[in-house]
Each structure stands twice: as structure tokens, then as C-alpha cells.
Amino acid sequence: ILQSKNEAEARSKTFLKNTISDISHQLKTPLAALMMYQEILSDEPDNIQTVRTFSAKIGATLNRMERLILSMLQIARLDAGNIIFEKNSLRIADLVARSMADLTERARLEGKKLLTEGDSDMLLDCDPVWTVQAIGNILKNALDHTETGGIIRIFWERTPAMTKLVIQDDGSGIAPEDLHHIFKRFYRSSHSLDKEGVGLGLPLAKSIIEGQGGLISVQSAPGKGTAFTLSFLTKP
């Protein structure tokens, strides 16, 4: 019992150390940028255009830091097993609609289409809040890697064994050397079109789906788009 307790405490300390290390390492760059912007503003306080430009940069950097910290804390809670998923049977169509809500306007402004297809009455046993976030993260990733005029399809189907939700885009696709790394934290491909991301959207989505007993897989090829498939065992 004592040995088991000591091992658990050692794992907890290692986990905490790694989490703090990850957060501090990732905050170094935006903090350095904020210091630089502040120095520029101090040097030219009367230059209205400079003040406006770097005030906007400061705001964007602070937003990025906020997303980074919140995502890291969520992943830490998931990894530590501190999240209890409250599962309910919900219509997949409603889950998808909620996931798209904050991205519809962005898609319109960028000239991209979000299309849905599936049985409107099909149910999925899941935690709605966390699952909506996971789907939303994957949709955002699809928008980030799809050019103007692109189409993102969200469709779902059920087999006797599995309930599947697929998010498919016709964007830039994923290079073969990147495909096996996209769920790693902070991984940023050299081919990425997304310059503002923090590299945690897909790892967080994976933790959420797998934490509920589901599976997430990806199929992609450069120039041929990407398809993420969320699979859950069909409820008897």
C-alpha cells in the first residue's frame, strides 16, 4: 500500500512538473512580444498610428495567451482524471449546430461553406459541453486549412457497432511526415496556414473524445483535403 501511494505521489509530482514546464515554456514567446510592444509604445506615445497598431497587437497576443492557458488547464484536468463526463443522449444534429454556432460567421466572411448531412433524429450518448468543444476545435482546424471557396462537410452515420461523425474538408491536406504528429501538443507543421494557433486544439479534441470512450482518426493527403472521424460504440 505504501509503495503504491509513493508511486502515485511520484506520478502526480512528475505530471505537475511537466504541466508547469509546458505552460511556462509556451508563455515565453508571447511575453517577450508584449515587452517589445510596450517598449515601442513608450518610445512613441504621441504617434497615434503606432499606438493603434501596437495596441491591436497587444490585444491579439493577450487573447492568444488566454486561449493557451485555458487549453493547457483543460488538458491538465483531463490528463489528471479530474473531469467527470456527464453523459446524456442528445441529437447529433444539435451537437453539430452548437459546434458551428461560433464559426458560421467566420466561414461566411472567409467565403467558405459549412454543410451538414445526417439523420436529424440520430442520438449520441456523450457529454454535450465537452463534445461540442471537441467538434468545434476540429471545425476550426478545418477552416484554418481551407482556402476561400472551400467546403467543409459534417456528416454522421450509424452501423450496428459504431456511431461515426466525420468532419471533412477540401483544403490543403496534411503532409505525410506530419500526419502522425498532429495530435501532439504544440506541434506546428511547417506547411501550416494557421499562424495564430497555439497547437492545442487537436490534442484537446483527442483527449475529450477518448476520455468518453471514443476514438478519433484522420485521413489526409496533400492537396486533397482532410477527414477527421469521431467513432463511438453504438449504444445497445
Side-chain angles (χ1 to χ4, degrees):
I1 292 173
L2 288 173
Q3 182 179 355
S4 177
K5 181 180 179 181
N6 289 336
E7 290 175 352
E9 289 179 350
R11 286 195 299 269
S12 179
K13 289 180 180 178
T14 300
F15 171 76
L16 181 60
K17 177 182 176 181
N18 292 338
T19 300
I20 293 174
S21 176
D22 282 343
I23 293 177
S24 62
H25 177 73
Q26 293 300 320
L27 287 177
K28 286 181 180 179
T29 299
L31 282 173
L34 286 174
M35 292 175 66
M36 180 182 67
Y37 299 154
Q38 190 272 331
E39 289 178 4
I40 293 172
L41 289 174
S42 296
D43 291 339
E44 301 185 52
D46 298 324
N47 188 324
I48 296 178
Q49 186 56 47
T50 297
V51 171
R52 287 177 178 173
T53 299
F54 286 94
S55 292
K57 288 180 179 292
I58 288 173
T61 302
L62 289 172
N63 287 335
R64 185 175 185 274
M65 290 175 66
E66 182 182 29
R67 295 199 307 273
L68 169 65
I69 293 170
L70 289 176
S71 296
M72 278 300 302
L73 291 176
Q74 286 179 323
I75 288 179
R77 291 174 65 200
L78 287 164
D79 286 352
N82 292 334
I83 299 296
I84 298 177
F85 293 106
E86 299 180 2
K87 293 186 176 182
N88 294 292
S89 290
L90 300 110
R91 297 197 312 164
I92 298 177
D94 292 338
L95 291 170
V96 171
R98 288 170 59 182
S99 303
M100 291 170 52
D102 294 333
L103 298 170
T104 303
E105 181 62 12
R106 173 188 165 181
R108 186 187 69 80
L109 292 173
E110 294 179 358
K112 304 168 187 178
K113 292 183 179 180
L114 298 174
L115 305 178
T116 62
E117 179 182 346
D119 182 350
S120 60
D121 293 322
M122 189 180 296
L123 301 176
L124 180 65
D125 193 39
C126 67
D127 184 304
V129 175
W130 286 99
T131 304
V132 164
Q133 180 173 351
I135 297 172
N137 285 356
I138 299 173
L139 283 173
K140 180 184 179 299
N141 182 79
L143 286 170
D144 289 340
H145 296 86
T146 304
E147 299 286 0
T148 299
I151 297 175
I152 298 165
R153 297 179 59 238
I154 308 101
F155 58 94
W156 52 94
E157 60 185 9
R158 173 169 292 157
T159 67
M162 304 293 291
T163 298
K164 295 183 178 182
L165 173 68
V166 181
I167 301 168
Q168 182 181 60
D169 66 63
D170 58 359
S172 56
I174 303 171
E177 63 268 25
D178 294 323
L179 197 57
H180 299 292
H181 301 287
I182 60 171
F183 293 114
K184 292 181 179 178
R185 295 173 195 179
F186 309 115
Y187 183 78
R188 300 295 302 279
S189 168
S190 59
H191 307 286
S192 178
L193 300 175
D194 175 21
K195 305 302 181 185
E196 301 298 327
V198 295
L200 288 175
L202 294 180
L204 183 54
K206 184 175 187 291
S207 294
I208 291 171
I209 298 304
E210 292 184 349
Q212 298 181 83
L215 296 172
I216 182 169
S217 59
V218 58
Q219 296 81 39
S220 184
K224 296 184 178 179
T226 302
F228 285 90
T229 302
L230 313 183
S231 304
F232 299 86
L233 287 174
T234 297
K235 191 174 180 180

